[in-house]
Amino acid sequence: MEIRDWRLEIGQSPISNLQSQQGIEGMSSLTPLLHPRSVAVIGATERADASSSFVMRNLMQHGYAGQIYPVHPRAETVFGLTAVPTITHLPQPPDLAVICIAAPYVAAALEEAGRKGTKAAIVLSSGFAEKDAEGRARQQELVEIAARYDMAVCGPNCLGLIAHQANTVLYSSRFPMGVPKGDVALISQSGAIAIALSSTGCIGFSHIISSGNSAVTDIPDYLRYLAADPLTRVVMLVLENISRPEALAAAMQEMHKADKRVVALYVGRTERGAAATSAHTGALAGSFAAVQAFFRRHGIVSVESMDELLQTTALLSVLPQRPQKRGLAIIGVSGGGVAHVSDVASAVGLTIPPLQPETIAQLKAILPPFITPQNPLDTTGLPFSDGDVYRQALDFLANDPAIGLITAVQDAPPGLDEAGTREYLPIAQGIVDFAHTAPVPVVVVSNLADGHHPLFSEPLRQAGVPMLRGTAVALKAINHLFTPMPMAARTAQTDLAMDAFWQKRFANGAPFTEREAKQLLAAYGIRTTREELATSAAEAVQLAAAIGFPVVMKIESPDITHKSDVGGVLLGVGDETAVEQAYDQLMANVSKAMPQAKLHGVVVQEMVVAGVEAFVGVSRYAPFGFGVVVGPGGVLVELVGETAVDLLPLNPESAQTLVESTRLNKLLSGFRGSPPADRSALVDTILKLAQIVQLYGDYLDTIELNPITVLPEGQGICVLDAVMLPAKSSITQEVQLLRRS
Amino acid sequence: MEIRDWRLEIGQSPISNLQSQQGIEGMSSLTPLLHPRSVAVIGATERADASSSFVMRNLMQHGYAGQIYPVHPRAETVFGLTAVPTITHLPQPPDLAVICIAAPYVAAALEEAGRKGTKAAIVLSSGFAEKDAEGRARQQELVEIAARYDMAVCGPNCLGLIAHQANTVLYSSRFPMGVPKGDVALISQSGAIAIALSSTGCIGFSHIISSGNSAVTDIPDYLRYLAADPLTRVVMLVLENISRPEALAAAMQEMHKADKRVVALYVGRTERGAAATSAHTGALAGSFAAVQAFFRRHGIVSVESMDELLQTTALLSVLPQRPQKRGLAIIGVSGGGVAHVSDVASAVGLTIPPLQPETIAQLKAILPPFITPQNPLDTTGLPFSDGDVYRQALDFLANDPAIGLITAVQDAPPGLDEAGTREYLPIAQGIVDFAHTAPVPVVVVSNLADGHHPLFSEPLRQAGVPMLRGTAVALKAINHLFTPMPMAARTAQTDLAMDAFWQKRFANGAPFTEREAKQLLAAYGIRTTREELATSAAEAVQLAAAIGFPVVMKIESPDITHKSDVGGVLLGVGDETAVEQAYDQLMANVSKAMPQAKLHGVVVQEMVVAGVEAFVGVSRYAPFGFGVVVGPGGVLVELVGETAVDLLPLNPESAQTLVESTRLNKLLSGFRGSPPADRSALVDTILKLAQIVQLYGDYLDTIELNPITVLPEGQGICVLDAVMLPAKSSITQEVQLLRRS
């Protein structure tokens, strides 16, 4: 069979798609899956509700130009095509086998296809890892067979995939005629969501991939293929887990090199939150925060709803250029309308800068005299009778040095009658005229989700002007244009040699007391409170005198992590008599509260009262490795409840960004007359902590420094309290990122 | 002309609308405006783009059954109707005059109509208060004429209004045929927003009112009419300002008595924020917070976008009953879909309770064996072939004691073909079957804003099942079902007699020092720090010894509000030598920083270190009077930046709710081993402060108590610092709530 047919059919310039793609490393393996020249349908039948029947009808109705081989043990023909009893009966190995039979028989069929020399399969059948233990074993069998024959496999438990530009609809669900072709690829773990997203008509697709359980070929594999695919420019992802973060990160590098965007909806974020690690640090920032950090780091645009996914993708697909400046201008013919859009734009974080006096003067000259031009700009109803005023206003806004993007707010609801809609056409024309030479992009927004009347939207669509609908979602989509590109790869700090003493200490697996945790921190250059262990009241008095009054006194026990909760802490112990009493009181309190706890004695600790209290913690964020959490500390942890998370490794810039991204930063800047705090010392501490994790991460689950007091600039920091939890086992703290069906 | 026609035409049971309404006090005045039996169109012409021409064509095309009198100085007929040169030429006064002439001539026409005996007018013309000073004067003239003749007037600067059930389209914009009739009234200050909202087809209207400048008849007047109108059940409001809060509050009482809902979109909230008072308290909570407090107090459902307004109104219009319990069950055929909806539901604040074991057992019996039933419930694809499973699952969920409402997540996009959509019909049927006897309401949600294929939605619509579209907006709309009814009217505390001394002190208008402000607070029973003014270092030492070390020392000057900023505060001054030095240092610091400030001396103040720091402030929130702001205090004000606002007067319950609605409450509850704080003493302090405002509000702009330290339970509070700003003038601090066009 020859491959010329479909390429002519889709009316594209003759890109030699298969040949060019096969030349790119890592892509060749997916070509038979995503662009098969021949397809064997295993279990083919004409029964209307059978998945194989959908696949065959879809292939034929949508004009697949390759060869279709129905495989059925007894049938002579299926839908008029000659059937063979097994794939081995075919003269040539087909590029792709679509397996549509019950789960228990799938492995044998895949094995047979592999043996024949077929390099790709789609397993539509369910009854694998999404179901039960037996299903998980079956899935593992598929993985092994695929590895043995070097096959790409989509599924199991999926709807299949569509190479839309090639009219190749390998799909076990109905796929309507007339879904636009375009440069967007959709990859969804959920089949139902894939169906909904592909049926809207507002996005043109290159590929639609229902990846299902992704047992063999996974999302990063598809992404690497699409990064090199000349037909694809934007990818929309619907994710329910991230199983191979390194592979996804590598695939994103390919996407960015190719200047392509990825927009992701992570489904199940709140349940993930609930399943989050119960360690201290984790409790302060659910694991979805780690997913967000991962997205941010790798330049994946993160959206919160399906509508937002759709509109953001549509915008990225249509908009020819990324805005060069953040400043948004808002223009409309209704004062109420532009005010409403400004409200929502501010709420999503967009910047609406004031206009330059020169811009204002230009606008004044064309608008009614009682209007004071500003941003947002109310043109009044003038453009209804004179569309050129609208174009001129757009020109003036676009040339204002603060403006990088214009939002034209215009409702023209589909419910209007034709005559009513015609009144809006001068405005559409004004926008079209502007768009032809626009120095900055213009996006047309309707406040209602119904969008625009086709009479209004058609000329805009033809001029390539993006149109969004529903104020809240539209403005979020616009804000996503400013999603930063991925940060440069971070280099780990590796100056310190591994310390044999601490290595040994970790290896013995015993819990760390606060004092011991601080000794470790101090060994790596982090300042902690001066403190010593007293094993008698008299010794405590001696130590306190040496440290200087007032002191803090804390019980020391390997069995107690939360000392305050058992009456094991006294602050501001002011003199020798008080220290003596305090020693006895602490021992008594804790003996009563936890009679079984082993007590080492009482730590006498320097009391540091100045400075801003910060929280810094590291803990595991499966599957991403360690993350670091930073925020206001001490009493503020629970009050402010606001932390920022980033994943290790960090470099000085990313550690600084992390500190600056929470309200802690405001405290550090000094206000109400207090001096600015030593932010750079805090950043340095975070980097040192990251070094410790790099050295001893295998033995660790959590380190929590809370509070760290950040002293005035130039005076450094001091760790007042520290908790270090050794690894219970490598999986105890892991979030269970189980796949859903 | 008789009034029977239109009431027969709309096919309603013969409600004697006019008669019954005329009997209700306060309504009669709006009947000629909203249900005129005859209309004179002043300035009538056939010119296609004239507003009068739109009005006449709208009346005739939509089947207005009353008499239409074109008024034109020279025309003999307009659109085939006999014209008269002036309204005085008519044999009878028409019920309503629609004035469609240029602004300078409007007053004369209104005067003429009033003299004729016409009791209502719509002024479509612009060029009034929205324009300039001349326009404001013109508008004032209209107000006076309307008062003189006791006329109801819609506008000026509006599109007019529509009594849709009576086919009375008094509208200067195109109004499409086929807009559904129903029980929703829309009142919008913005004409463009009214047009957009009325053209969607997803809401049926009783009235549409473009209120424009609302110079005479204002939103509260319309609301009182609609409260008594049997055709209206839900009102959607688009507001750009609230000019008569007391009248709006009174109208809301009427609405609640009639068991009708009001949903409001306040447009321009962020600009209002920017225009907010610059007083200390106002800076912490923009005036939109006061609008929100007003909405909350009066049971107005507050939405954030036009789509949310539309969907919330649609839901309230269709849903037959308010859910009795907050618990939301989520059901769907896609695991990804229900997970996504759960994410969004949690984010908007809905409660998704776990199911009872009995419910789980019932669901287990009907669902595939590998499914573990939970909330959200993934039924798998089973209902595609067996809709009754869906109905049964709904039944089981509905009978779970925790569930008050069910959301059925089902996409069936309009882009699907007919055959594809038919596959979803068993699910629709299951929902319809359930809805017939449902003990709790079910709402169908599509994740995409496109909504449902008509084949899927039609049976649901016929069964009265509400359908929403777009996950984020839909879940917000559902959450609005739980908007609390208005709180009981609050009684002001009036136990204290006015104190002649303080009355006189306020009257002299001089600024209050911290010490003087505290004296006032103390006079009304609020505990403040012990403190005295020292005018020499020696006196400071004496005072400090009497108060007890350590002390706080602060400069006292009537010219300085922010003492810290000029080096005028020293904390923790520990002994006599330190006090002596501190006195001199404070005087020197401030003399240097503010050489022109008059210094009274140094206040020596008790230092209170225990307790939780709170912020309590009162300030003016035009047009609502005084509001009180509560939140975490001291250093936390700027860090946490979270405050709650309510309007005065308060009662003990509302003061308590206010305290409990911020994160301060968490601090007060005691955590990390600290004892619970004296919350009731704080509530009591807020009520005492409200008393002070009641007594001296005319003289005051702002009182800010920050910090108040809240001591452990039973120990009360202590005000550590207080700022009191007398009224500069009654309008200085007022937010300028100017109307927009």
Side-chain angles (χ1 to χ4, degrees), chain A residues 54 130-132 174-177 190 192-193 195-197 199-200 240 265-271 304-307 310 334-337 339-340 342-344 346-347 370 374 376 378 411 413-417 419-421 423-424 447-450 469-472 564-565 632 634-642 663-664 666-667 671-673 704 706 740-741, chain B residues 54 130-132 174-177 190 192-193 195-197 199-200 240 265-271 304-307 310 334-337 339-340 342-344 346-347 370 374 376 378 411 413-417 419-421 423-424 447-450 469-472 564-565 632 634-642 663-664 666-667 671-673 704 706 740-741:
Chain A
F54 275 101
E130 82 285 0
K131 190 175 173 186
D132 52 17
R174 280 175 204 278
F175 186 67
M177 302 303 290
S190 159
I193 292 179
I195 291 174
L197 288 172
S199 311
T200 67
E240 299 181 13
L265 174 66
Y266 193 86
V267 171
R269 53 187 75 187
T270 49
E271 291 193 35
E304 288 169 2
S305 73
M306 280 169 60
D307 254 337
L310 201 66
S334 149
H340 178 49
S342 303
D343 288 351
V344 177
S346 301
F370 59 88
Q374 58 176 334
D378 172 10
D411 290 312
L416 290 177
D417 54 24
T421 310
E423 293 175 4
Y424 294 87
N447 285 302
L448 293 173
D450 283 341
R469 37 189 177 171
T471 326
S564 305
D565 297 350
V635 76
L636 303 174
V637 168
E638 286 166 60
L639 178 64
V640 177
E642 189 206 42
R663 288 194 231 189
L664 172 62
K666 202 166 182 177
L667 272 180
F671 62 89
R672 298 222 159 182
E704 179 185 313
N706 181 30
R740 297 144 178 285
S741 60
Chain B
F54 275 101
E130 83 285 0
K131 189 174 174 187
D132 52 19
R174 283 175 202 277
F175 186 66
M177 303 303 289
S190 159
I193 292 180
I195 292 174
L197 288 172
S199 311
T200 67
E240 299 181 13
L265 174 66
Y266 193 86
V267 171
R269 53 187 76 189
T270 50
E271 290 192 35
E304 289 168 3
S305 73
M306 280 169 61
D307 253 337
L310 200 68
S334 149
H340 179 50
S342 303
D343 288 350
V344 177
S346 302
F370 59 89
Q374 58 176 333
D378 172 10
D411 291 312
L416 289 177
D417 55 24
T421 310
E423 293 175 6
Y424 294 87
N447 285 302
L448 293 174
D450 283 341
R469 38 190 177 169
T471 325
S564 305
D565 297 351
V635 75
L636 302 175
V637 168
E638 285 166 61
L639 178 65
V640 178
E642 190 204 43
R663 288 193 232 188
L664 173 63
K666 201 167 184 178
L667 271 180
F671 62 89
R672 298 224 160 183
E704 179 185 312
N706 182 29
R740 296 146 177 286
S741 61

Side-chain angles (χ1 to χ4, degrees), chain A residues 213-333:
Chain A
N213 292 8
S214 310
V216 176
T217 303
D218 197 0
I219 286 166
D221 306 315
Y222 294 119
L223 278 181
R224 293 192 63 205
Y225 178 91
L226 296 169
D229 174 32
L231 302 173
T232 300
R233 187 164 150 190
V234 183
V235 178
M236 51 203 306
L237 275 185
V238 180
L239 288 171
E240 299 181 13
N241 61 42
I242 294 175
S243 53
R244 292 161 53 213
E246 307 79 9
L248 184 52
M252 283 307 302
Q253 283 204 358
E254 301 291 318
M255 293 298 292
H256 290 298
K257 269 189 218 152
D259 197 27
K260 299 181 179 186
R261 303 276 172 276
V262 177
V263 187
L265 174 66
Y266 193 86
V267 171
R269 53 187 75 187
T270 49
E271 291 193 35
R272 297 285 177 277
T277 168
S278 57
H280 292 77
T281 317
L284 294 169
S287 73
F288 179 60
V291 172
Q292 290 281 53
F294 182 86
F295 283 176
R296 217 162 40 237
R297 171 163 296 190
H298 298 290
I300 296 174
V301 177
S302 177
V303 296
E304 288 169 2
S305 73
M306 280 169 60
D307 254 337
E308 192 184 337
L309 176 62
L310 201 66
Q311 302 234 17
T312 304
T313 306
L315 180 59
L316 288 169
S317 164
V318 175
L319 201 63
Q321 76 225 75
R322 196 183 162 81
Q324 299 300 304
K325 289 169 275 186
R326 275 199 73 88
L328 176 72
I330 296 170
I331 180 174
V333 296

